[in-house]
Amino acid sequence: MLTIGLIGGLSWESSLEYYRLLNAGVEDRLGGLHSAKVVMSSVEFAELTELQQAERWDDVAAILVEAARGVQAAGADLVLMCSTAFHRVAEQVEAALDVPFLHLADVVARATEEHGFSKLGLLGTSFTMSRGFFIDRFASHGIEVVVPDESHHELLDRIIYDELVHGKVIDTSRTRVVALIDELWDAGAQGVIIGCTELELLVKQADSEIPVFPCTTLHVQAALDRALS
């Protein structure tokens, strides 16, 4: 079993979900008392968020590169970043490593390709939905990505940052997010990417008749495929 390195703390609720899914996945695949071999560097979310809002991406990259090198030095055989938004600096992080970096968008794109989908909706933070770094990565796989109307972006940010990162899962918020999934379907999306770990805590496939692609779950599955191959 290879050791999986996690760049965490973005938010800690996200890191918790990654750790839970990794260990549940190993137990499911191997049974008995097996658990995942994991090392994590957990950064300070408020600090990174302030730098993000100030567009100080060189400083963001420096912190996450240091974290990535730390998990590599601790024995990680592959590295995942437990965040969608901070994949904005994924190329710098990957370039600093001597072990494989599993880019979240590549993992999800490959999963959607298996269904033959070419147009997908994306739900996440307003930053992820409005910037090109994630959507362009899907375009490199031949997948068109559509997002909700900008008028809904503030709602998603409020649900993510005011509720979910604090562990608050509220039914009315779930209803609103499912309604956005329906709107993306009406806009021609064949399925919807749940592009934020915290949103996965709120919305599951059982909540929608439209195919949803949970980024974190798919990221973890790809890591386990590599670690247990």
Side-chain angles (χ1 to χ4, degrees), residues 5 54 78 134:
L78 62 152
F134 207 63

Side-chain angles (χ1 to χ4, degrees), residues 8 10 28 52 60 66 105 123 171 188 218:
L10 301 164
D28 182 61
Q52 173 194 3
V60 170
E66 181 181 11
L123 295 178
D171 289 339
L218 294 170

Side-chain angles (χ1 to χ4, degrees), residues 68-140:
R69 287 174 172 164
V71 295
Q72 178 177 281
D77 298 297
L78 62 152
V79 174
L80 287 69
M81 190 186 304
C82 304
S83 164
T84 304
F86 288 101
H87 270 72
R88 167 67 172 73
V89 296
E91 292 182 1
Q92 294 96 310
V93 172
E94 183 173 16
L97 293 169
D98 297 318
V99 297
F101 176 83
L102 272 63
H103 194 292
L104 180 58
D106 292 341
V107 167
V108 178
R110 284 191 288 269
T112 61
E113 287 167 355
E114 294 175 4
H115 295 264
F117 293 164
S118 59
K119 185 174 183 179
L120 297 167
L122 171 65
L123 295 178
T125 64
S126 60
F127 179 82
T128 299
M129 294 186 295
S130 62
R131 302 297 181 95
F133 69 95
F134 207 63
I135 293 171
D136 290 348
R137 192 83 174 201
F138 278 93
S140 72

Side-chain angles (χ1 to χ4, degrees), residues 142-169:
I143 297 172
E144 179 185 357
V145 172
V146 294
V147 301
D149 185 82
E150 190 174 347
S151 62
H152 298 303
H153 290 196
E154 183 179 349
L155 168 66
L156 284 167
D157 274 357
R158 182 182 60 75
I159 291 171
I160 292 166
Y161 291 112
D162 294 349
E163 298 172 12
L164 295 172
V165 299
H166 301 292
K168 300 176 182 178
V169 179

